[in-house]
Amino acid sequence: MVGSAHEALHRVFQKDPALLTRAFQKVLHVPFPEPRDFAVLNADVTEIEPVERRVDTLMRVETDDGAYLLVVESQGKKDEKKRGSWPYYLAYLYEKYHCEPVLVVITQNSATARWAAQPIRRGLPGWDSLTVRPLVIGPDNVPVIASEREAERDLPLAVLSAMTHGRGAKAAAILEPLALALRTVDGESAAVFGQLIESCLGDPLAKDLWRDLMSEIRYFFNNPVAEKVREEGRVEGREEGRLEDRAGMTLRILEWRAIPVSEAVRERVLACSDLDQLEIWARRAVTAERAEDLFSG
């Protein structure tokens, strides 16, 4: 059981190690070599002296250009002690494994992200003996993935989007499409991703919404008829299910935001058979001041 956002933010990379290198390319725009293999390593960096030191997640990645160590640190707030620990971690791990270490910091806080991104310099002014430049993943550079189709294309990245934005106002726009996209993976993976996301949500209302969505996901995987549709991939049944899900999502967003929904609005949304139109309405539901604003523009 993942009990905190700190644990969830780095453990998502243990669930899908390749997500980290995709984040380099899609979020940080760092030209990291294409990986061939991953291995999660022991995160302990304690020496013989009784001083415990531990990184959050440590992975070895093999590429055509050689092996790298990916050192992932989850950071909730500024901590100046880290500016002493991180250079030590990298030097120690390089000596232990003889692989180039890459420090990645992931956070849900924009101010913490800016602090963590500052280079750590050790040595004389103007002549650094050591410079550490963390790669930082946070709410300012992770895209908001609020489309079911986009979430299905790269589900782990959509999960990362929900986790990094989990304490902000954009969380609601991500949760509903992501819940629908989770139905495209196996039940065990959906449960793990769902737990990681819940641990990162700061708003109690967002947590309640996510728990309701996860209840629907568990029903989907446990219901024989839904499972049959999922396994056989019947186009008609799947399309009908998408329409119902998207219409229900639009109405639930309005209800979650405490916006009154008239019977006329409810009937119009539920009667719509255009998936693209329903997606537009779902997006508008996140910012609409009145339920009728869904249909304007």
Side-chain angles (χ1 to χ4, degrees):
M1 183 72 178
V2 180
S4 69
H6 177 94
E7 286 294 312
L9 283 171
H10 68 88
R11 280 183 56 181
V12 67
F13 298 117
Q14 297 178 19
K15 172 63 180 171
D16 182 3
L19 170 63
L20 193 53
T21 53
R22 292 203 305 281
F24 286 172
Q25 298 162 359
K26 296 184 178 182
V27 176
L28 301 174
H29 307 293
V30 173
F32 194 86
E34 195 65 29
R36 288 188 284 103
D37 190 28
F38 287 91
V40 179
L41 305 179
N42 188 333
D44 196 336
V45 291
T46 304
E47 296 185 85
I48 296 175
E49 292 82 358
V51 178
E52 183 178 0
R53 300 179 188 269
R54 185 177 296 273
V55 298
D56 288 331
T57 287
L58 177 63
M59 292 185 292
R60 179 187 177 108
V61 54
E62 301 286 346
T63 77
D64 291 335
D65 296 339
Y68 293 86
L69 293 177
L70 302 181
V71 185
V72 185
E73 285 280 274
S74 173
Q75 197 66 31
K77 59 183 180 180
K78 299 178 183 179
D79 182 357
E80 290 302 323
K81 290 182 179 179
K82 290 292 187 180
R83 300 185 71 79
S85 298
W86 287 339
Y88 166 81
Y89 292 164
L90 301 183
Y92 176 86
L93 291 169
Y94 176 79
E95 180 63 24
K96 180 176 181 179
Y97 292 102
H98 300 289
C99 290
E100 296 294 342
V102 179
L103 174 62
V104 184
V105 179
I106 180 168
T107 181
Q108 295 179 293
N109 184 278
S110 295
T112 302
R114 291 191 293 271
W115 164 81
Q118 297 173 8
I120 302 170
R121 306 184 189 279
R122 296 289 180 262
L124 294 173
W127 190 273
D128 302 327
S129 299
L130 174 67
T131 302
V132 175
R133 298 175 61 197
L135 294 170
V136 181
I137 297 173
D140 293 335
N141 56 12
V142 175
V144 174
I145 298 180
S147 161
E148 179 190 348
R149 291 170 181 169
E150 191 178 355
E152 287 180 357
R153 281 197 294 270
D154 193 338
L155 184 58
L157 185 62
V159 171
L160 181 65
S161 175
M163 293 167 66
T164 50
H165 293 284
R167 295 188 178 277
K170 299 176 181 178
I174 301 172
L175 297 182
E176 294 268 7
L178 179 53
L180 298 177
L182 281 177
R183 299 184 180 188
T184 62
V185 300
D186 61 276
E188 182 180 353
S189 294
V192 172
F193 283 139
Q195 188 182 111
L196 292 172
I197 292 165
E198 183 177 336
S199 299
C200 291
L201 296 176
D203 186 344
L205 291 176
K207 279 201 172 191
D208 289 342
L209 173 63
W210 184 244
R211 286 168 182 159
D212 289 342
L213 292 169
M214 287 305 296
S215 296
E216 294 179 13
I217 291 172
R218 285 191 290 271
Y219 171 80
F220 176 80
F221 281 106
N222 293 330
N223 183 282
V225 176
E227 181 67 17
K228 185 177 180 181
V229 171
R230 176 176 179 273
E231 292 299 327
E232 295 179 357
R234 292 187 298 183
V235 176
E236 182 179 352
R238 186 167 53 201
E239 188 69 14
E240 183 178 346
R242 284 176 182 270
L243 290 170
E244 292 177 357
D245 287 336
R246 188 55 52 84
M249 175 181 74
T250 303
L251 296 174
R252 280 197 299 273
I253 290 177
L254 293 173
E255 291 166 359
W256 176 66
R257 296 183 58 224
I259 294 178
V261 179
S262 67
E263 193 60 32
V265 170
R266 185 179 301 276
E267 289 180 359
R268 182 172 175 181
V269 171
L270 293 176
C272 182
S273 59
D274 185 334
L275 191 60
D276 291 334
Q277 182 62 70
L278 285 169
E279 183 163 332
I280 292 171
W281 290 348
R283 288 174 178 269
R284 289 178 182 169
V286 176
T287 57
E289 296 181 2
R290 302 177 307 123
E292 288 73 16
D293 292 344
L294 296 181
F295 316 125
S296 63

